[in-house]
Amino acid sequence: MDGIRFSTETKDVNERGDIMDGRLENQKKGEAKIKHMMQGQPAVIKDYYVYLHDKTYKTKIMYINRIIAFIGYLSVCGFDVNKMESFANVKLSNINDYMEKIRYKEDGNEYSESYRALQLNVIKSFFDFLEADGYVIKNPAQKIKAPRVSNQTTVTYLTKQEIDTIKKNMINGVGSPRERSAQRKWFERDYAIMILALCTGLRIAALTEINVSDIDFHAKIIRVTEKENITKDVYISDEVVEALCGWLEKRKQMLAEKGCDGEDALFISFRMKRLDASSVNDMIKKYTYNIDKKITAHKLRSTFATNIYEATGDIYVTSKLLGHANIETTKRYAALNKEKERNAMDKISKNIF
């Protein structure tokens, strides 16, 4: 594996189109998904999609999905959503009523305030578009105050003992004998994903978009593209390098058996194509079945953040490694550490007195 490194040669290959950039590949899939979502929807949805041209494909999917739900509500209320001029008749009370209707889930539990605040932001964005195009005189949603979102968000992360449990699950396999047999074939891949996520804190999109040609084993770095199309080099430890090398050997064997040699995606599925975020989360769910927490790829990122802050005590280093644009986003991990400090002091006091 010593010969694998990104270089100007990788750039030339990408420009020829022989190897598709991971982010571009996911973007094309995302745009195709949006077009499928918009089939049979009112024309205003397509116009709003054009308005979102500067957003990432994931943001577009989320915005389009939520505005389809809102327009469906307006249609039930008697608005002719196929006529653009109908939106000028939407009142503040209609939006408030909708916000109240999405307060509760189907099971009766309440949605989080952050969920509802995001929904309101989407509605405000939609009416900003209508106002910009002259279909409404004023955005009626601007007068609505967003639900207050607490800054003290509970952080879910894995302890060392829980990580050891996951390792055992991966080594021994979970489920039926047939399922365990299938898992053994993909052990190197799943282990590489798990250790890479826990030791770098990469977002799941960035992780799935990594190409083999993005890795420089000599310098021990991976070139990734994060949110807002920011490209950066991420340091990887010897343990991560070893795991990736083990997977790449197995990957090479798998591709050869299938007669495939042009796939550059680092993590591939049984179809020998790039693994998607949903499949990664399914894999994580499988190996954390006996952990009394709901663990997703984002919780692996939270585990990385918690460990980095505990190791350094430096919120700015933690923020930079996580790629946070705002230091306030990182402070939740500092708050978690303070709680541990208080617990430790309480224990010391009890031991002394």
Side-chain angles (χ1 to χ4, degrees):
M1 293 303 149
D2 288 343
I4 300 178
R5 54 165 44 192
F6 52 68
S7 64
T8 53
E9 292 180 10
T10 301
K11 182 180 178 182
D12 292 340
V13 171
N14 287 340
E15 286 177 350
R16 287 201 308 269
D18 297 331
I19 297 175
M20 185 180 291
D21 173 79
R23 193 171 186 82
L24 178 60
E25 184 179 336
N26 278 349
Q27 182 176 335
K28 290 196 172 201
K29 289 179 181 177
E31 296 290 349
K33 181 177 181 178
I34 294 169
K35 288 180 180 179
H36 179 73
M37 289 166 59
M38 293 191 300
Q39 287 181 1
Q41 294 296 330
V44 67
I45 297 288
K46 296 175 183 177
D47 291 341
Y48 180 56
Y49 165 70
V50 175
Y51 176 78
L52 298 172
H53 68 91
D54 59 341
K55 304 290 185 184
T56 66
Y57 71 91
K58 290 196 295 183
T59 299
K60 289 178 186 176
I61 289 173
M62 186 266 291
Y63 273 48
I64 294 296
N65 185 52
R66 289 173 187 252
I67 215 62
I68 286 174
F70 175 65
I71 286 180
Y73 158 81
L74 292 179
S75 179
V76 170
C77 291
F79 290 90
D80 187 349
V81 294
N82 290 302
K83 294 180 179 179
M84 299 292 280
E85 56 269 22
S86 293
F87 294 100
N89 298 319
V90 176
K91 294 181 171 56
L92 184 66
S93 58
N94 298 123
I95 301 172
N96 276 325
D97 183 56
Y98 178 71
M99 292 299 296
E100 192 59 32
K101 286 186 182 302
I102 63 167
R103 180 180 292 277
Y104 297 98
K105 305 176 186 177
E106 290 183 2
D107 60 8
N109 290 320
E110 198 167 353
Y111 278 111
S112 67
E113 294 300 282
S114 59
Y115 171 87
R116 295 175 63 247
L118 182 56
Q119 180 67 60
L120 180 59
N121 282 337
V122 172
I123 293 173
K124 286 181 177 180
S125 165
F126 177 67
F127 278 100
D128 280 342
F129 145 68
L130 292 172
E131 185 179 347
D133 270 21
Y135 293 108
V136 300
I137 298 173
K138 195 173 183 180
N139 186 338
Q142 289 298 348
K143 293 181 180 180
I144 302 176
K145 289 184 179 180
R148 180 175 291 181
V149 180
S150 172
N151 290 327
Q152 297 301 320
T153 305
T154 302
V155 177
T156 300
Y157 66 99
L158 291 165
T159 64
K160 178 67 169 65
Q161 291 174 326
E162 289 167 339
I163 292 174
D164 288 342
T165 297
I166 294 170
K167 285 181 184 177
K168 289 178 183 177
N169 290 341
M170 298 182 81
I171 292 169
N172 299 326
V174 297
S176 67
R178 183 177 180 181
E179 289 171 327
R180 293 178 187 226
S181 176
Q183 289 159 23
R184 278 194 292 273
K185 180 179 180 181
W186 294 96
F187 170 80
E188 289 84 358
R189 182 201 67 182
D190 295 350
Y191 182 73
I193 290 173
M194 194 70 73
I195 192 171
L196 182 61
L198 286 169
C199 293
T200 64
L202 284 175
R203 293 179 175 89
I204 190 169
L207 189 145
T208 59
E209 289 165 0
I210 297 172
N211 284 341
V212 176
S213 52
D214 293 326
I215 309 172
D216 187 334
F217 283 94
H218 295 280
K220 294 197 290 189
I221 56 175
I222 301 177
R223 184 161 294 167
V224 300
T225 304
E226 281 278 16
K227 289 176 70 175
E228 309 301 328
N229 287 324
I230 296 174
T231 300
K232 66 177 183 179
D233 291 341
V234 175
Y235 169 77
I236 51 176
S237 65
D238 290 335
E239 291 78 10
V240 174
V241 168
E242 183 179 355
L244 288 175
C245 286
W247 159 238
L248 284 173
E249 288 292 347
K250 187 65 177 286
R251 174 185 176 280
K252 182 179 179 181
Q253 176 186 335
M254 287 179 167
L255 289 171
E257 289 173 354
K258 294 287 185 178
C260 306
D261 57 4
E263 180 61 61
D264 194 38
L266 174 60
F267 297 119
I268 55 176
S269 69
F270 69 94
R271 292 188 178 91
M272 303 296 120
K273 298 296 181 182
R274 187 179 302 277
L275 197 67
D276 60 25
S278 176
S279 298
V280 173
N281 271 320
D282 286 343
M283 181 271 290
I284 294 169
K285 182 179 180 181
K286 175 174 62 185
Y287 291 123
T288 59
Y289 79 97
N290 54 350
I291 304 294
D292 192 23
K293 299 172 183 175
K294 184 179 179 180
I295 303 300
T296 62
H298 190 71
K299 299 305 183 291
L300 302 186
R301 178 172 162 82
S302 296
T303 303
F304 167 80
T306 303
N307 287 324
I308 282 294
Y309 187 78
E310 285 186 358
T312 65
D314 192 323
I315 196 167
Y316 293 99
V317 169
T318 305
S319 183
K320 183 175 181 180
L321 289 173
L322 289 171
H324 285 163
N326 190 338
I327 197 77
E328 294 297 321
T329 309
T330 320
K331 285 186 177 179
R332 70 186 70 177
Y333 304 107
L336 180 68
N337 193 264
K338 292 296 182 185
E339 182 63 29
K340 288 187 175 183
E341 290 176 9
R342 281 194 291 272
N343 290 338
M345 294 300 286
D346 286 341
K347 289 180 181 178
I348 290 172
S349 297
K350 289 176 182 177
N351 289 337
I352 293 175
F353 294 101

